[in-house]
């Protein structure tokens, strides 16, 4: 079935490729009806606090996942059947897989939504798809809004322990996020927090890529951090984000900041805006950190 802006949510949910997890494609905590079209879905009325939402991206993502599902699994539960049986809310979690090259590093992308819903279709799926197109293995996490840090820690653990079968390089990874998702990435990008949440010997992320969030904690255990934000953001002040990076610089933690004049909160990939292409700057930042890590290992 061809997907277009008039395709309904019901029609997408019925696609064979998505059976068993189709509902997690869309925010489960927002007022979505089965007869709603993709055009009606792709608005800030549904994706609250977001801007520059494009139905063309929604169509592209659904078509890409539908096509990829014919070749490899595109969704992974991060909890076991026993764990989900014990706690049914864990059925509302999982990783959508945007496959890159075999044995390439991986990224986990975390959408925002104010810890009230997960805006993946605008704030993590597009990022994961763009990363996969550059050859990286990318995963978009669907998390429980009341257990977000726990679920991200579980996702990192799952990928680390299943790296061989997924054919990903588990020794090099990055954490990405927008708004609430950026806060998640920063917290679990911290080496001490990661150890506390996972109780496992998992290496720290090579880089944290953050968009538009007011997170202000600073630690010597934080990961190298890339930030982008709009100067007209009414939720995450650009000067506030800049100040945190200045403090990380004092600790000799690599940082990079991009402030986009006039942009508001939640611009996602920023397609057709002044921020268009920022994701490639972020990929370059991550790649630099991987080079530094490899050099330190070889010394």
């Amino acid at each position: 079935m061809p997907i277009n802006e008039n395709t309904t949510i019901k029609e997408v949910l019925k696609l064979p490729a998505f059976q068993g997890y189709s509902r997690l494609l869309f925010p489960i905590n927002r007022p979505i009806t089965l007869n709603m079209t993709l055009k009606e879905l792709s608005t800030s009325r549904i994706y609250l606090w977001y801007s520059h939402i494009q139905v063309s991206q929604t169509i592209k993502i659904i078509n890409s996942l539908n096509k990829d599902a014919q070749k490899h699994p595109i969704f992974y539960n991060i909890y076991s059947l026993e764990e989900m049986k014990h706690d049914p809310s864990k059925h509302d979690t999982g990783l959508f897989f945007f496959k890159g090259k075999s044995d390439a590093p991986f990224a986990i992308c975390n959408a925002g939504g104010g810890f009230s819903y997960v805006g993946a279709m605008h704030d993590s799926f597009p990022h994961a798809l763009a990363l996969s197109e550059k050859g990286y293995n990318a995963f978009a996490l669907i998390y429980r809004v009341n257990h977000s840090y726990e679920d991200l820690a579980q996702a990192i653990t799952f990928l680390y322990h299943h790296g061989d079968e997924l054919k990903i390089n588990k020794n090099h990874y990055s954490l990405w996020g927008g708004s609430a998702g950026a806060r998640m990435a920063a917290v679990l990008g911290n080496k001490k927090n990661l150890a506390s949440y996972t109780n496992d010997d998992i290496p720290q992320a090579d880089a944290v890529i953050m968009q538009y969030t007011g997170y202000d904690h600073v630690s010597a255990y934080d990961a190298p951090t890339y930030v982008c934000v709009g100067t007209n953001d009414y939720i995450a002040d650009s000067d506030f984000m800049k100040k945190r990076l200045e403090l990380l610089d004092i600790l000799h933690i690599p940082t990079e900041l991009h402030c986009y004049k006039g942009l508001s909160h939640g611009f996602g990939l920023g397609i057709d805006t002044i921020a268009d292409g920022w994701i490639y700057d972020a990929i370059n930042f991550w790649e630099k950190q991987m080079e530094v890590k490899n050099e330190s290992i070889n010394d």
Side-chain angles (χ1 to χ4, degrees):
M1 180 188 75
I3 303 297
N4 57 58
E5 64 180 26
N6 295 316
T7 301
T8 65
I9 300 299
K10 183 178 181 179
E11 289 171 324
V12 173
L13 295 180
K14 285 187 173 182
L15 289 173
F18 303 142
Q19 295 314 296
Y21 48 83
S22 59
R23 67 191 184 88
L24 298 181
L25 287 166
F26 308 108
I28 61 176
N29 298 327
R30 297 297 297 149
I32 295 174
T33 63
L34 292 178
N35 290 328
M36 183 178 288
T37 66
L38 294 183
K39 183 177 182 179
E40 294 169 332
L41 169 82
S42 303
T43 68
S44 57
R45 183 175 71 85
I46 300 300
Y47 291 94
L48 194 63
W49 305 303
Y50 283 108
S51 60
H52 300 91
I53 302 167
Q54 297 187 336
V55 66
S56 60
Q57 282 295 300
T58 302
I59 294 168
K60 180 180 178 180
I61 289 159
I62 293 172
N63 279 329
S64 178
L65 286 171
N66 189 29
K67 181 180 178 181
D68 287 350
Q70 318 306 320
K71 298 178 289 186
H72 62 80
I74 61 168
F75 183 82
Y76 290 89
N77 292 306
I78 58 175
Y79 292 105
S80 67
L81 290 175
E82 183 177 347
E83 288 172 316
M84 290 189 288
K85 182 178 180 180
H86 179 72
D87 182 353
S89 74
K90 291 180 177 177
H91 284 280
D92 294 335
T93 67
L95 290 164
F96 282 92
F97 186 19
F98 293 77
K99 189 175 179 60
K101 295 179 181 178
S102 292
D103 301 318
F106 71 92
I108 302 177
C109 301
N110 307 282
F115 295 113
S116 64
Y117 76 99
V118 180
M121 193 61 74
H122 176 66
D123 208 31
S124 64
F125 287 168
H127 304 60
L129 179 57
L131 282 158
S132 70
E133 290 172 344
K134 294 292 289 184
Y136 293 105
N137 294 295
F139 298 85
L141 174 64
I142 307 300
Y143 57 89
R144 296 169 296 167
V145 295
N146 294 326
H147 300 279
S148 55
Y149 300 104
E150 175 188 339
D151 290 344
L152 178 53
Q154 178 64 22
I156 295 169
T157 302
F158 175 86
L159 293 176
Y160 188 73
H161 289 296
H162 293 82
D164 292 339
E165 63 188 79
L166 291 172
K167 296 182 179 180
I168 59 176
N169 183 339
K170 64 183 183 181
N171 295 314
H172 286 297
Y173 72 97
S174 56
L175 298 177
W176 298 58
S179 200
R183 187 176 293 260
M184 293 163 56
V187 170
L188 270 297
N190 179 286
K191 188 175 182 179
K192 276 198 169 183
N193 290 340
L194 177 67
S196 175
Y197 272 97
T198 63
N199 294 313
D200 209 338
D201 189 23
I202 297 174
Q204 183 180 25
D206 294 346
V208 166
I209 312 299
M210 303 176 67
Q211 291 186 272
Y212 35 73
T213 194
Y215 184 72
D216 64 352
H217 188 268
V218 175
S219 163
Y221 297 96
D222 285 331
T225 302
Y226 173 102
V227 161
C228 68
V229 62
T231 59
N232 279 359
D233 196 314
Y234 58 93
I235 294 176
D237 185 87
S238 58
D239 289 336
F240 190 86
M241 297 190 77
K242 180 181 179 181
K243 181 63 177 178
R244 178 171 182 263
L245 292 198
E246 290 172 348
L247 295 175
L248 289 177
D249 288 337
I250 293 172
L251 296 172
H252 304 292
I253 295 173
T255 66
E256 185 171 327
L257 172 68
H258 292 263
C259 292
Y260 298 108
K261 187 175 181 179
L263 276 190
S264 58
H265 192 76
F267 54 82
L269 288 185
I271 295 172
D272 296 332
T273 76
I274 191 174
D276 201 345
W278 74 262
I279 192 167
Y280 304 114
D281 293 331
I283 290 172
N284 288 336
F285 178 83
W286 176 25
E287 290 172 342
K288 289 177 184 176
Q289 308 319 311
M290 286 192 279
E291 290 174 4
V292 170
K293 184 174 182 179
N294 286 334
E295 288 172 359
S296 65
I297 291 174
N298 294 329
D299 285 345

